[in-house]
Amino acid sequence: MRTHFMFGTYCLPVLSTVPRSGTWLLRYLFSFVCHLEQGGRLDDLLTGEVIGNPRGPAFDFTRFRGGPLFRVTGALRAKHMFIGHTVCPGFQDLLPAGHWWRQTSFHVPGYDCLHEETSYRHTPVDLARYDYAPVKVPAMERAARKGLGGRIAFVYRNPVDQAFSYFRYCQAHVNPAYHLFRGRPVTEMSFREYLFGAALISYARQFITYQIQAARYPDLVKMIPYENLIDRPVETAIHLLDHYSDHRREWPMLPAAVRLVRKDHMRAIEGKLGSSLDGTRNGQDSHMRASEDTERDRLADPSIRDEAIARLSEMGVDCSLFAWPAQRAVTLRRAYPGHVRDGRRAAG
């Protein structure tokens, strides 16, 4: 076991997501950008295009375990970045004892990985020559409470689509912590029951930590709708990268990295490796749902949305921050260069 100890753990930047809101997409995207920015090479398996330095090192998918820490030295100012699910650092100690947040809990594990873990000394790291690095969560909390420490961003999906996607995810999960709720199979619950009895409070507990911290420290904490990432991936990724870089700069490899994380290409990579990229499945099965399956996450009943907004508003959640996209396929737009994109439109 190789562990790296030389970095300021209180400055660890955090890129958090609501579960089922682009976590793995962001892990791939940031990892690809960092690899390409440092002279690496990635091959598009579907088009044959060589991206990056043709003589550079290939991306080592066998060592891509999904973090939650990623080495980003050379592309970003920090050495490591956390990409996963967590409540906002610096938030918890600011709440009064009787606040509803302290009287509730997440309905499943995983919404707050940064604080749920017990072995911070050996936190898995991707894209590094070493396997682990320590994270000092109390130091991160103290710094963030003062508006210091690493930059933070939160990518969140609108609560109804997020809950419906997670509802289906938990129904099929092998772990009882997910497919049972208070001893009852999630498969026996209606979505409305699951949303208002379980999922919505978890969403609110995570979301409001970023809402409050972003209002207090807007330069430190940014909130990004997941729908923006899907509709405008290059523009949104630039916004995120600039946030972690402290200044605007060119990201010449970003459009290519966005093309590489399109779903059909990631599936092609999984086929070549013989396993899913998140490490949860063997053979040809993928952890990414097909686009036509994802489309069924759209709910037509406006009363569910209206009731969810009312309940979240009662808890102090600013529902004006949510994006409610029009009916469309939830797929990444290919970030083709402008002249190629225009040509494709003309041909269509």
Side-chain angles (χ1 to χ4, degrees):
M1 179 175 67
R2 296 169 294 176
T3 304
H4 182 73
F5 291 99
M6 302 296 291
F7 79 105
T9 49
Y10 75 95
C11 288
L12 179 70
V14 170
L15 175 52
S16 180
T17 61
V18 180
R20 308 301 295 175
S21 303
T23 313
W24 282 94
L25 185 156
L26 288 164
R27 286 171 170 174
Y28 302 143
L29 182 58
F30 270 69
S31 297
F32 287 177
V33 168
C34 289
H35 179 71
L36 294 170
E37 288 278 338
Q38 296 175 70
R41 164 183 174 155
L42 277 157
D43 296 349
D44 191 315
L45 300 183
L46 299 180
T47 67
E49 180 185 5
V50 176
I51 298 173
N53 181 0
R55 297 184 180 181
F59 191 91
D60 188 357
F61 284 99
T62 63
R63 287 187 57 78
F64 188 88
R65 299 166 297 174
L69 295 187
F70 295 81
R71 184 174 173 85
V72 294
T73 306
L76 300 174
R77 67 187 183 98
K79 183 169 290 186
H80 300 92
M81 170 179 283
F82 173 92
I83 305 178
H85 314 310
T86 185
V87 302
C88 190
F91 168 80
Q92 295 189 53
D93 292 342
L94 302 176
L95 293 173
H99 193 276
W100 67 263
W101 198 94
R102 296 195 180 279
Q103 310 302 319
T104 55
S105 61
F106 293 107
H107 75 291
V108 293
Y111 273 83
D112 191 13
C113 293
L114 194 60
H115 300 87
E116 290 172 357
E117 294 293 331
T118 57
S119 181
Y120 302 111
R121 184 178 177 85
H122 298 108
T123 309
V125 182
D126 274 12
L127 310 180
R129 292 190 178 93
Y130 42 89
D131 300 309
Y132 302 94
V135 175
K136 294 184 179 179
V137 176
M140 290 177 60
E141 291 288 340
R142 288 192 296 270
R145 191 161 57 245
K146 300 174 183 177
L148 305 173
R151 295 294 181 92
I152 299 168
F154 181 53
V155 176
Y156 61 96
R157 196 174 185 175
N158 78 68
V160 176
D161 284 356
Q162 184 273 337
F164 191 72
S165 181
Y166 210 60
F167 175 56
R168 299 183 62 186
Y169 171 80
C170 289
Q171 286 179 324
H173 208 289
V174 297
N175 190 332
Y178 294 87
H179 72 240
L180 295 177
F181 178 65
R182 296 175 181 169
R184 182 183 175 192
V186 176
T187 53
E188 296 180 0
M189 301 175 68
S190 68
F191 172 62
R192 177 181 284 275
E193 183 179 7
Y194 179 80
L195 173 65
F196 295 114
L200 202 62
I201 191 67
S202 292
Y203 186 101
R205 293 189 88 247
Q206 188 186 23
F207 186 94
I208 202 166
T209 67
Y210 291 91
Q211 177 185 314
I212 291 176
Q213 283 290 75
R216 182 180 286 112
Y217 302 119
D219 292 333
L220 178 72
V221 182
K222 300 295 183 185
M223 300 180 68
I224 310 292
Y226 163 82
E227 292 78 8
N228 289 5
L229 180 66
I230 297 303
D231 288 340
R232 301 182 297 279
V234 175
E235 175 187 333
T236 305
I238 288 174
H239 184 56
L240 282 169
L241 289 164
D242 286 348
H243 175 57
Y244 292 112
S245 300
D246 283 340
H247 62 277
R248 290 184 174 273
R249 52 158 286 193
E250 296 295 324
W251 297 98
M253 303 310 301
L254 180 58
V258 169
R259 294 201 300 275
L260 288 168
V261 297
R262 66 191 188 276
K263 187 172 292 185
D264 56 348
H265 184 250
M266 300 307 292
R267 285 176 172 272
I269 294 173
E270 289 181 323
K272 181 178 180 180
L273 295 175
S275 62
S276 65
L277 285 168
D278 71 345
T280 62
R281 295 165 175 81
N282 295 318
Q284 300 303 307
D285 196 13
S286 173
H287 74 289
M288 293 176 286
R289 288 165 56 186
S291 296
E292 62 273 12
D293 189 34
T294 310
E295 181 67 10
R296 290 199 293 270
D297 284 2
R298 302 274 167 218
L299 297 179
D301 185 355
S303 67
I304 290 180
R305 185 189 69 180
D306 294 345
E307 186 175 349
I309 290 175
R311 295 202 185 186
L312 289 168
S313 297
E314 291 173 358
M315 290 185 280
V317 172
D318 182 359
C319 296
S320 69
L321 297 173
F322 300 148
W324 302 97
Q327 191 82 5
R328 49 151 173 76
V330 186
T331 55
L332 268 179
R333 293 180 180 176
R334 297 189 182 188
Y336 290 104
H339 68 282
V340 177
R341 189 164 56 243
D342 294 341
R344 288 170 62 86
R345 288 173 179 163

PDB file of all heavy atoms in Angstrom, residues 307-326:
ATOM      1  N   GLU A 307     -45.854  19.893  -5.236  1.00  0.00           N
ATOM      2  CA  GLU A 307     -45.828  19.507  -3.831  1.00  0.00           C
ATOM      3  C   GLU A 307     -44.395  19.445  -3.307  1.00  0.00           C
ATOM      4  O   GLU A 307     -44.122  19.842  -2.167  1.00  0.00           O
ATOM      5  CB  GLU A 307     -46.521  18.160  -3.628  1.00  0.00           C
ATOM      6  CG  GLU A 307     -46.669  17.766  -2.166  1.00  0.00           C
ATOM      7  CD  GLU A 307     -47.468  16.487  -1.975  1.00  0.00           C
ATOM      8  OE1 GLU A 307     -48.089  16.015  -2.956  1.00  0.00           O
ATOM      9  OE2 GLU A 307     -47.462  15.967  -0.837  1.00  0.00           O
ATOM     10  N   ALA A 308     -43.464  18.954  -4.133  1.00  0.00           N
ATOM     11  CA  ALA A 308     -42.063  18.900  -3.728  1.00  0.00           C
ATOM     12  C   ALA A 308     -41.528  20.305  -3.480  1.00  0.00           C
ATOM     13  O   ALA A 308     -40.814  20.555  -2.486  1.00  0.00           O
ATOM     14  CB  ALA A 308     -41.230  18.194  -4.798  1.00  0.00           C
ATOM     15  N   ILE A 309     -41.856  21.245  -4.351  1.00  0.00           N
ATOM     16  CA  ILE A 309     -41.412  22.629  -4.180  1.00  0.00           C
ATOM     17  C   ILE A 309     -41.968  23.217  -2.890  1.00  0.00           C
ATOM     18  O   ILE A 309     -41.260  23.901  -2.137  1.00  0.00           O
ATOM     19  CB  ILE A 309     -41.828  23.477  -5.393  1.00  0.00           C
ATOM     20  CG1 ILE A 309     -41.001  23.078  -6.624  1.00  0.00           C
ATOM     21  CG2 ILE A 309     -41.661  24.963  -5.099  1.00  0.00           C
ATOM     22  CD1 ILE A 309     -41.428  23.767  -7.898  1.00  0.00           C
ATOM     23  N   ALA A 310     -43.239  22.940  -2.610  1.00  0.00           N
ATOM     24  CA  ALA A 310     -43.865  23.478  -1.399  1.00  0.00           C
ATOM     25  C   ALA A 310     -43.174  22.942  -0.151  1.00  0.00           C
ATOM     26  O   ALA A 310     -42.876  23.698   0.786  1.00  0.00           O
ATOM     27  CB  ALA A 310     -45.347  23.127  -1.387  1.00  0.00           C
ATOM     28  N   ARG A 311     -42.895  21.646  -0.142  1.00  0.00           N
ATOM     29  CA  ARG A 311     -42.274  21.061   1.050  1.00  0.00           C
ATOM     30  C   ARG A 311     -40.835  21.537   1.228  1.00  0.00           C
ATOM     31  O   ARG A 311     -40.392  21.815   2.341  1.00  0.00           O
ATOM     32  CB  ARG A 311     -42.321  19.533   0.963  1.00  0.00           C
ATOM     33  CG  ARG A 311     -43.724  18.962   1.002  1.00  0.00           C
ATOM     34  CD  ARG A 311     -43.717  17.525   1.443  1.00  0.00           C
ATOM     35  NE  ARG A 311     -45.032  16.916   1.381  1.00  0.00           N
ATOM     36  CZ  ARG A 311     -45.311  15.690   1.819  1.00  0.00           C
ATOM     37  NH1 ARG A 311     -44.340  14.949   2.332  1.00  0.00           N
ATOM     38  NH2 ARG A 311     -46.516  15.203   1.730  1.00  0.00           N
ATOM     39  N   LEU A 312     -40.104  21.620   0.147  1.00  0.00           N
ATOM     40  CA  LEU A 312     -38.725  22.091   0.239  1.00  0.00           C
ATOM     41  C   LEU A 312     -38.680  23.550   0.678  1.00  0.00           C
ATOM     42  O   LEU A 312     -37.811  23.943   1.461  1.00  0.00           O
ATOM     43  CB  LEU A 312     -38.020  21.913  -1.105  1.00  0.00           C
ATOM     44  CG  LEU A 312     -37.715  20.469  -1.508  1.00  0.00           C
ATOM     45  CD1 LEU A 312     -37.287  20.398  -2.964  1.00  0.00           C
ATOM     46  CD2 LEU A 312     -36.632  19.870  -0.615  1.00  0.00           C
ATOM     47  N   SER A 313     -39.613  24.342   0.182  1.00  0.00           N
ATOM     48  CA  SER A 313     -39.662  25.758   0.567  1.00  0.00           C
ATOM     49  C   SER A 313     -39.892  25.906   2.063  1.00  0.00           C
ATOM     50  O   SER A 313     -39.319  26.795   2.707  1.00  0.00           O
ATOM     51  CB  SER A 313     -40.753  26.484  -0.217  1.00  0.00           C
ATOM     52  OG  SER A 313     -40.483  26.468  -1.607  1.00  0.00           O
ATOM     53  N   GLU A 314     -40.722  25.043   2.623  1.00  0.00           N
ATOM     54  CA  GLU A 314     -40.976  25.080   4.061  1.00  0.00           C
ATOM     55  C   GLU A 314     -39.710  24.822   4.862  1.00  0.00           C
ATOM     56  O   GLU A 314     -39.574  25.303   5.996  1.00  0.00           O
ATOM     57  CB  GLU A 314     -42.047  24.044   4.429  1.00  0.00           C
ATOM     58  CG  GLU A 314     -43.440  24.380   3.918  1.00  0.00           C
ATOM     59  CD  GLU A 314     -44.429  23.251   4.158  1.00  0.00           C
ATOM     60  OE1 GLU A 314     -43.999  22.199   4.698  1.00  0.00           O
ATOM     61  OE2 GLU A 314     -45.616  23.413   3.829  1.00  0.00           O
ATOM     62  N   MET A 315     -38.780  24.066   4.283  1.00  0.00           N
ATOM     63  CA  MET A 315     -37.514  23.761   4.965  1.00  0.00           C
ATOM     64  C   MET A 315     -36.443  24.811   4.694  1.00  0.00           C
ATOM     65  O   MET A 315     -35.306  24.678   5.145  1.00  0.00           O
ATOM     66  CB  MET A 315     -37.022  22.376   4.553  1.00  0.00           C
ATOM     67  CG  MET A 315     -37.883  21.247   5.100  1.00  0.00           C
ATOM     68  SD  MET A 315     -37.208  19.603   4.716  1.00  0.00           S
ATOM     69  CE  MET A 315     -37.758  19.410   3.013  1.00  0.00           C
ATOM     70  N   GLY A 316     -36.793  25.846   3.942  1.00  0.00           N
ATOM     71  CA  GLY A 316     -35.840  26.910   3.685  1.00  0.00           C
ATOM     72  C   GLY A 316     -35.025  26.737   2.424  1.00  0.00           C
ATOM     73  O   GLY A 316     -34.091  27.508   2.173  1.00  0.00           O
ATOM     74  N   VAL A 317     -35.352  25.751   1.597  1.00  0.00           N
ATOM     75  CA  VAL A 317     -34.633  25.527   0.351  1.00  0.00           C
ATOM     76  C   VAL A 317     -35.100  26.545  -0.690  1.00  0.00           C
ATOM     77  O   VAL A 317     -36.304  26.759  -0.874  1.00  0.00           O
ATOM     78  CB  VAL A 317     -34.869  24.094  -0.172  1.00  0.00           C
ATOM     79  CG1 VAL A 317     -34.280  23.916  -1.571  1.00  0.00           C
ATOM     80  CG2 VAL A 317     -34.260  23.074   0.792  1.00  0.00           C
ATOM     81  N   ASP A 318     -34.160  27.178  -1.358  1.00  0.00           N
ATOM     82  CA  ASP A 318     -34.477  28.162  -2.401  1.00  0.00           C
ATOM     83  C   ASP A 318     -34.767  27.422  -3.700  1.00  0.00           C
ATOM     84  O   ASP A 318     -33.863  27.088  -4.459  1.00  0.00           O
ATOM     85  CB  ASP A 318     -33.304  29.118  -2.584  1.00  0.00           C
ATOM     86  CG  ASP A 318     -33.596  30.201  -3.621  1.00  0.00           C
ATOM     87  OD1 ASP A 318     -34.693  30.200  -4.211  1.00  0.00           O
ATOM     88  OD2 ASP A 318     -32.704  31.046  -3.850  1.00  0.00           O
ATOM     89  N   CYS A 319     -36.043  27.188  -3.979  1.00  0.00           N
ATOM     90  CA  CYS A 319     -36.434  26.388  -5.148  1.00  0.00           C
ATOM     91  C   CYS A 319     -36.276  27.143  -6.464  1.00  0.00           C
ATOM     92  O   CYS A 319     -36.403  26.540  -7.536  1.00  0.00           O
ATOM     93  CB  CYS A 319     -37.869  25.899  -4.982  1.00  0.00           C
ATOM     94  SG  CYS A 319     -38.082  24.768  -3.581  1.00  0.00           S
ATOM     95  N   SER A 320     -35.992  28.443  -6.409  1.00  0.00           N
ATOM     96  CA  SER A 320     -35.732  29.184  -7.643  1.00  0.00           C
ATOM     97  C   SER A 320     -34.409  28.757  -8.277  1.00  0.00           C
ATOM     98  O   SER A 320     -34.141  29.077  -9.442  1.00  0.00           O
ATOM     99  CB  SER A 320     -35.707  30.686  -7.368  1.00  0.00           C
ATOM    100  OG  SER A 320     -34.571  31.050  -6.595  1.00  0.00           O
ATOM    101  N   LEU A 321     -33.586  28.017  -7.546  1.00  0.00           N
ATOM    102  CA  LEU A 321     -32.301  27.564  -8.058  1.00  0.00           C
ATOM    103  C   LEU A 321     -32.418  26.299  -8.913  1.00  0.00           C
ATOM    104  O   LEU A 321     -31.464  25.901  -9.567  1.00  0.00           O
ATOM    105  CB  LEU A 321     -31.332  27.288  -6.896  1.00  0.00           C
ATOM    106  CG  LEU A 321     -30.972  28.495  -6.025  1.00  0.00           C
ATOM    107  CD1 LEU A 321     -30.153  28.061  -4.815  1.00  0.00           C
ATOM    108  CD2 LEU A 321     -30.207  29.526  -6.844  1.00  0.00           C
ATOM    109  N   PHE A 322     -33.601  25.665  -8.929  1.00  0.00           N
ATOM    110  CA  PHE A 322     -33.763  24.423  -9.675  1.00  0.00           C
ATOM    111  C   PHE A 322     -33.988  24.693 -11.152  1.00  0.00           C
ATOM    112  O   PHE A 322     -34.608  25.694 -11.528  1.00  0.00           O
ATOM    113  CB  PHE A 322     -34.940  23.604  -9.140  1.00  0.00           C
ATOM    114  CG  PHE A 322     -34.800  23.203  -7.702  1.00  0.00           C
ATOM    115  CD1 PHE A 322     -35.918  23.084  -6.896  1.00  0.00           C
ATOM    116  CD2 PHE A 322     -33.559  22.956  -7.147  1.00  0.00           C
ATOM    117  CE1 PHE A 322     -35.805  22.716  -5.567  1.00  0.00           C
ATOM    118  CE2 PHE A 322     -33.433  22.588  -5.825  1.00  0.00           C
ATOM    119  CZ  PHE A 322     -34.562  22.469  -5.029  1.00  0.00           C
ATOM    120  N   ALA A 323     -33.525  23.771 -11.991  1.00  0.00           N
ATOM    121  CA  ALA A 323     -33.777  23.814 -13.430  1.00  0.00           C
ATOM    122  C   ALA A 323     -34.764  22.711 -13.762  1.00  0.00           C
ATOM    123  O   ALA A 323     -34.557  21.553 -13.394  1.00  0.00           O
ATOM    124  CB  ALA A 323     -32.473  23.621 -14.203  1.00  0.00           C
ATOM    125  N   TRP A 324     -35.822  23.087 -14.473  1.00  0.00           N
ATOM    126  CA  TRP A 324     -36.833  22.105 -14.880  1.00  0.00           C
ATOM    127  C   TRP A 324     -36.796  22.032 -16.406  1.00  0.00           C
ATOM    128  O   TRP A 324     -37.485  22.794 -17.085  1.00  0.00           O
ATOM    129  CB  TRP A 324     -38.216  22.524 -14.389  1.00  0.00           C
ATOM    130  CG  TRP A 324     -38.277  22.688 -12.907  1.00  0.00           C
ATOM    131  CD1 TRP A 324     -38.168  23.839 -12.198  1.00  0.00           C
ATOM    132  CD2 TRP A 324     -38.438  21.647 -11.946  1.00  0.00           C
ATOM    133  NE1 TRP A 324     -38.254  23.597 -10.863  1.00  0.00           N
ATOM    134  CE2 TRP A 324     -38.422  22.267 -10.667  1.00  0.00           C
ATOM    135  CE3 TRP A 324     -38.602  20.264 -12.031  1.00  0.00           C
ATOM    136  CZ2 TRP A 324     -38.556  21.536  -9.484  1.00  0.00           C
ATOM    137  CZ3 TRP A 324     -38.736  19.535 -10.854  1.00  0.00           C
ATOM    138  CH2 TRP A 324     -38.719  20.163  -9.608  1.00  0.00           C
ATOM    139  N   PRO A 325     -35.969  21.146 -16.967  1.00  0.00           N
ATOM    140  CA  PRO A 325     -35.778  21.126 -18.419  1.00  0.00           C
ATOM    141  C   PRO A 325     -37.019  20.666 -19.161  1.00  0.00           C
ATOM    142  O   PRO A 325     -37.853  19.923 -18.631  1.00  0.00           O
ATOM    143  CB  PRO A 325     -34.631  20.136 -18.620  1.00  0.00           C
ATOM    144  CG  PRO A 325     -34.721  19.234 -17.430  1.00  0.00           C
ATOM    145  CD  PRO A 325     -35.197  20.099 -16.286  1.00  0.00           C
ATOM    146  N   ALA A 326     -37.118  21.129 -20.407  1.00  0.00           N
ATOM    147  CA  ALA A 326     -38.205  20.673 -21.267  1.00  0.00           C
ATOM    148  C   ALA A 326     -37.980  19.208 -21.624  1.00  0.00           C
ATOM    149  O   ALA A 326     -36.887  18.660 -21.450  1.00  0.00           O
ATOM    150  CB  ALA A 326     -38.256  21.521 -22.539  1.00  0.00           C
TER     151      ALA A 326
END
